[in-house]
Amino acid sequence: MSEHKIEVVINGRPHRATVEGRKTLCDYLRGDAGYTGVHVGCEHGVCGACTVMVDGKAVRSCLMLAVQADGCDVVTAEGLAEPNGTLHPVQAAMRDCHGLQCGFCTPGVVMTLASLTGGNDAPTEDALIAAMSGHVCRCTGYQGIRRAIRQLTGQAQDEGAHA
Ligand code: FES
Ligand code: FES
């Protein structure tokens, strides 16, 4: 069994660890580093629950080895809000539009949306909805997620947050 030393910045904080070569990034983040906002569902890249940002891009952390994150900047759902507690716009939209039920899928959904909305080019509603095709919500909370996307893209209509 091979072991590797890694250095990873997680939510702005440097972390050093020794990990087995076979350890996935999600198991390292959740099990070792304690970022339990990283949820683990299918463990083979289908459900999207484990999505985090690695160097600014949304990544399924069940499909990446921890050792591959050596030297990377990782953001989990815990790292999105401002230090003073102000929610990231994606988190605020999900809250405002009731974009969750049990919340199991929510961190992954939020991380994908946050990865697409942080740049200078505002994504379209269609682009964000298309990105949601990579996320499974077992509660079928898709309409709330869709409303949150409409709020994010400035197209929220007067249809009521809980319609
Ligand atoms: S747990 Fe990673 S995609 Fe499902
Ligand atoms: S809110 Fe329960 S899985 Fe999506």
Side-chain angles (χ1 to χ4, degrees):
M1 174 191 331
S2 64
E3 296 210 320
H4 306 268
K5 291 186 188 309
I6 60 171
E7 294 187 13
V8 189
V9 174
I10 307 171
N11 300 334
R13 296 178 55 191
H15 290 256
R16 289 185 181 170
T18 301
V19 295
E20 290 181 31
R22 66 182 178 177
K23 177 161 282 192
T24 59
L25 180 59
C26 64
D27 282 348
Y28 166 66
L29 291 171
R30 183 181 172 84
D32 297 358
Y35 293 96
T36 53
V38 180
H39 289 175
V40 181
C42 66
E43 296 187 75
H44 59 268
V46 175
C47 73
C50 66
T51 303
V52 298
M53 272 194 264
V54 177
D55 292 340
K57 294 202 168 88
V59 166
R60 278 152 203 258
S61 60
C62 70
L63 294 184
M64 184 169 177
L65 295 171
V67 70
Q68 291 176 294
D70 184 30
C72 291
D73 189 22
V74 176
V75 180
T76 71
E78 290 95 333
L80 275 185
E82 301 289 338
N84 67 5
T86 302
L87 294 180
H88 185 282
V90 173
Q91 293 173 308
M94 290 286 279
R95 178 196 58 191
D96 294 348
C97 301
H98 197 59
L100 61 147
Q101 292 183 48
C102 79
F104 191 83
C105 67
T106 309
V109 168
V110 165
M111 297 313 293
T112 291
L113 292 176
S115 75
L116 295 172
T117 55
N120 293 329
D121 296 328
T124 64
E125 179 184 354
D126 285 348
L128 293 182
I129 287 173
M132 287 301 98
S133 65
H135 290 269
V136 174
C137 176
R138 291 177 297 184
C139 300
T140 65
Y142 299 112
Q143 290 305 318
I145 296 170
R146 190 175 180 128
R147 283 195 296 270
I149 287 172
R150 297 192 82 193
Q151 176 168 306
L152 276 170
T153 55
Q155 297 172 40
Q157 302 297 308
D158 187 22
E159 58 188 16
H162 303 285

